[in-house]
Amino acid sequence: MPPSHLDLSADHDKCSDPLPPTHAEARARLEQFAPSAAGQYARTRNFDYGPGQHDNVSTLSPYVKVRMLDEITVTRAVLSQHKEADAEKFIAEVFWRSYWKGWLELRPAVWTQYMNDLIRLRDDIQTQSGLRTRWEEACTGQTGIAPFDAWAQELQQTGYLHNHARMWFASIWIFTLDLPWQLGADFFLRHLLDGDAAVNTLSWRWVAGIQTQGKTYLATAENIAKFTDGRFPNVTNISDKAIPCEAPKPVAAGMLPPATHCPCQSGTGSCCMVMT
């Protein structure tokens, strides 16, 4: 990566660790969450109450990433206390993670294209002052868009964001700040404790209108105000339009990597916009 005075490396030592990296903590969180994985989870899962207030979701994804827990263990723990139909919302999030990883594993050219785009865009950051300024303001939470700036700072300080906040953040990054989705996905992957190549990349593509071509995700002021429990009322400086991004051009056959080079095949990833 070209040299930059903006350090984007993940550094979460400046705050107390909200997700202690131990097997005991992983098991304790699963045991604590499982009883509420049905009705309570379904009712409150879309609410982002702010840093350190994520008890309404599982926060298990960082532990799944490093295989302190796996999908089978999590699903069995939930189904030991709930009927499948009652815990459907949460179980679906677990399956979405597996779906995204399998999807990218079968299409390694998508990852190759993303990495090639990043090389080009990192060069652009060094040579295009306007792009560099917007990118730096977004990464450091200095855009003037209150919720976006709060999420950028929470991510850098804690390594975690609520799933709904990740979707809003991606939408504003792409459609309001007019920044390349690839740079946003890179920013997430550098900082998220549960960052996964497959789910992160494909989720950003989905928000941008590429993964399901023509279908975008638009963050709205009303939705943000409602599901942040009124923390960010009357947000007026975000786009009310979400024009789908142009799909990347197909990668030439000679550029395809061997299947084993696709990071989603390592079995160590977790979801970035699901199963939080």
Side-chain angles (χ1 to χ4, degrees), residues 214-234:
K215 180 178 175 59
T216 58
Y217 176 79
L218 179 66
T220 67
E222 295 78 11
N223 192 257
I224 292 172
K226 175 180 178 181
F227 288 106
T228 59
D229 203 27
R231 290 188 297 126
F232 300 108
N234 305 318

Side-chain angles (χ1 to χ4, degrees), residues 21-70:
T22 67
H23 283 91
E25 181 69 19
R27 289 286 180 176
R29 283 178 179 267
L30 178 57
E31 292 176 6
Q32 181 179 10
F33 171 74
S36 60
Q40 181 177 339
Y41 173 80
R43 289 190 300 272
T44 65
R45 69 190 185 99
N46 285 326
F47 284 87
D48 173 20
Y49 296 115
Q53 304 296 318
H54 300 306
D55 294 340
N56 56 317
V57 291
S58 75
T59 64
L60 294 174
S61 48
Y63 301 102
V64 176
K65 172 185 178 178
V66 297
R67 312 315 279 171
M68 288 184 181
L69 297 171
D70 60 32

Side-chain angles (χ1 to χ4, degrees), residues 1-267:
M1 178 179 178
S4 167
H5 68 261
L6 179 63
D7 183 7
L8 286 184
S9 60
D11 178 8
H12 311 301
D13 293 338
K14 51 194 163 187
C15 63
S16 59
D17 194 342
L19 298 166
T22 67
H23 283 91
E25 181 69 19
R27 289 286 180 176
R29 283 178 179 267
L30 178 57
E31 292 176 6
Q32 181 179 10
F33 171 74
S36 60
Q40 181 177 339
Y41 173 80
R43 289 190 300 272
T44 65
R45 69 190 185 99
N46 285 326
F47 284 87
D48 173 20
Y49 296 115
Q53 304 296 318
H54 300 306
D55 294 340
N56 56 317
V57 291
S58 75
T59 64
L60 294 174
S61 48
Y63 301 102
V64 176
K65 172 185 178 178
V66 297
R67 312 315 279 171
M68 288 184 181
L69 297 171
D70 60 32
E71 295 82 356
I72 294 176
T73 300
V74 171
T75 303
R76 283 177 174 169
V78 170
L79 291 179
S80 70
Q81 301 195 37
H82 305 283
K83 295 179 180 178
E84 181 178 349
D86 294 336
E88 178 183 8
K89 290 290 186 182
F90 178 75
I91 293 173
E93 299 301 299
V94 178
F95 281 114
W96 267 114
R97 174 191 181 276
S98 299
Y99 170 78
W100 283 134
K101 291 179 74 65
W103 193 97
L104 188 59
E105 181 178 345
L106 294 174
R107 298 165 180 84
V110 171
W111 177 257
T112 300
Q113 180 66 68
Y114 166 68
M115 294 302 294
N116 289 342
D117 288 347
L118 274 184
I119 294 172
R120 171 180 55 81
L121 289 166
R122 286 168 177 167
D123 287 339
D124 289 346
I125 287 172
Q126 304 303 315
T127 60
Q128 299 179 21
S129 59
L131 172 62
R132 182 179 183 86
T133 297
R134 299 199 317 277
W135 173 73
E136 289 183 338
E137 290 174 347
C139 292
T140 56
Q142 299 181 63
T143 67
I145 303 172
F148 182 94
D149 292 348
W151 295 322
Q153 293 162 17
E154 179 183 356
L155 175 57
Q156 294 208 57
Q157 291 168 4
T158 70
Y160 185 83
L161 278 183
H162 185 280
N163 181 58
H164 214 163
R166 301 181 195 201
M167 296 166 61
W168 292 321
F169 186 100
S171 179
I172 294 172
W173 178 287
I174 297 167
F175 302 119
T176 297
L177 302 178
D178 194 28
L179 286 165
W181 68 266
Q182 297 94 329
L183 290 177
D186 180 57
F187 177 61
F188 266 22
L189 201 55
R190 287 172 181 270
H191 289 282
L192 284 168
L193 294 173
D194 61 6
D196 170 70
V199 182
N200 185 59
T201 304
L202 302 183
S203 294
W204 276 84
R205 281 168 52 97
W206 177 76
V207 171
I210 297 171
Q211 190 63 23
T212 303
Q213 291 192 7
K215 180 178 175 59
T216 58
Y217 176 79
L218 179 66
T220 67
E222 295 78 11
N223 192 257
I224 292 172
K226 175 180 178 181
F227 288 106
T228 59
D229 203 27
R231 290 188 297 126
F232 300 108
N234 305 318
V235 178
T236 59
N237 48 350
I238 60 175
S239 177
D240 61 357
K241 295 181 175 62
I243 300 174
C245 296
E246 182 179 353
K249 295 179 181 179
V251 180
M255 298 174 65
L256 293 177
T260 54
H261 287 188
C262 182
C264 64
Q265 293 179 317
S266 66

